[in-house]
Amino acid sequence: MTPVRPLSLVTGASAGIGAAFARALAARGHDLVLTARRVDRLESLAGELRQQHACKVTALAADLADPAAPGTLCDELAQRGLAVDWLINNAGYGVPGTFVANDWRTHADFLQVLLTAPVELAWRLLPGMRERGYGRIVNVASLAGHVPGTAGHTLYAPAKAFLIKFSQGLALESHERGVHVCALCPGFTYSEFHDVTGTRMLMNKLPGFMWQSAEAVVTEGIDAVERGEIVHVTGRVNRMIKTMFKLLPDRVAMNLSARQSKRYRAQDAA
């Protein structure tokens, strides 16, 4: 049974797709728990949403690179009596450079944020959703999870491919209990992602038709999970790209991906 005011937990909510999810869900009558590392941005967004939508917003700073963070976050929710109905696993980033150009701590933190944290949050929050007979989990994956891996950002595509497969299995286990799970797979999205990775100038060379706004991505994602769609690639262009790579022989797809990726990748440090 759908709650009168669902409670949504959004990770990585301080900017980009996460902030867009927060605004869209607040506009749909949800109360919110927002989490990210930058508490000042969270508080600013929380104030905006309270004023515009008269919703309850809890801002909790958390660094999901800390293995203890998901458990601590869920314990805090339980202590406050907050039962999460929607989980938006959005927190993520890219690590530029080749695999050996970065130290292991950098890779370990990345895997914790993009793989372990979303899986643990789902594991901790799913039982309550199943018990109440209602829940939505959106794992923000990527078009990158559907195409061949490329040099540079070596772990990014594999991590997103994992989220897609994880979402598929979890959806099949949960749909009969009123819980919808969706892997949301955007392509190039206007956000801070490429500023953080230092590739903004290169990305600006891409034609405009390849980009979507964070708001458009989120609208598609909310509609998809409500429909019960398990994997959703946003935007017509991205869906065409996914289909093309699926139909191409592996060797041809790998060569094409390698050639294109060189045009938009920063020079490797090592």
Side-chain angles (χ1 to χ4, degrees), residues 95-224:
V95 176
T98 60
F99 186 58
V100 296
N102 293 282
D103 60 30
W104 177 246
R105 184 72 264 156
T106 298
H107 292 314
D109 287 349
F110 174 88
L111 293 172
Q112 171 64 34
V113 173
L114 271 79
L115 294 183
T116 306
V119 172
E120 183 176 350
L121 286 171
W123 179 80
R124 290 181 178 276
L125 297 174
L126 181 60
M129 296 178 185
R130 289 165 61 94
E131 183 179 345
R132 295 187 298 275
Y134 175 84
R136 303 289 185 263
I137 298 175
V138 178
N139 294 315
V140 179
S142 173
L143 176 64
H146 292 284
V147 302
T150 61
H153 297 288
T154 319
L155 296 178
Y156 188 80
K160 296 303 187 178
F162 172 90
L163 280 180
I164 293 168
K165 296 298 184 183
F166 169 63
S167 299
Q168 290 172 330
L170 199 62
L172 295 176
E173 292 180 6
S174 305
H175 74 281
E176 292 183 355
R177 303 291 292 273
V179 180
H180 296 179
V181 181
C182 180
L184 179 62
C185 303
F188 294 108
T189 305
Y190 291 114
S191 69
E192 296 180 352
F193 181 91
H194 299 291
D195 299 305
V196 173
T197 60
T199 56
R200 172 57 59 198
M201 293 298 293
L202 291 169
M203 291 299 105
N204 286 344
K205 297 178 182 179
L206 285 168
F209 67 82
M210 294 192 68
W211 292 87
Q212 281 188 292
S213 69
E215 291 75 18
V217 167
V218 165
T219 296
E220 287 195 43
I222 293 174
D223 290 345

Side-chain angles (χ1 to χ4, degrees), residues 209-247:
F209 67 82
M210 294 192 68
W211 292 87
Q212 281 188 292
S213 69
E215 291 75 18
V217 167
V218 165
T219 296
E220 287 195 43
I222 293 174
D223 290 345
V225 73
E226 286 282 56
R227 288 194 304 268
E229 192 172 345
I230 297 174
V231 178
H232 182 76
V233 177
T234 68
R236 184 179 301 175
V237 171
N238 294 324
R239 290 191 285 273
M240 290 174 59
I241 292 171
K242 177 201 170 186
T243 300
M244 178 187 72
F245 275 102
K246 186 176 181 179
L247 295 175

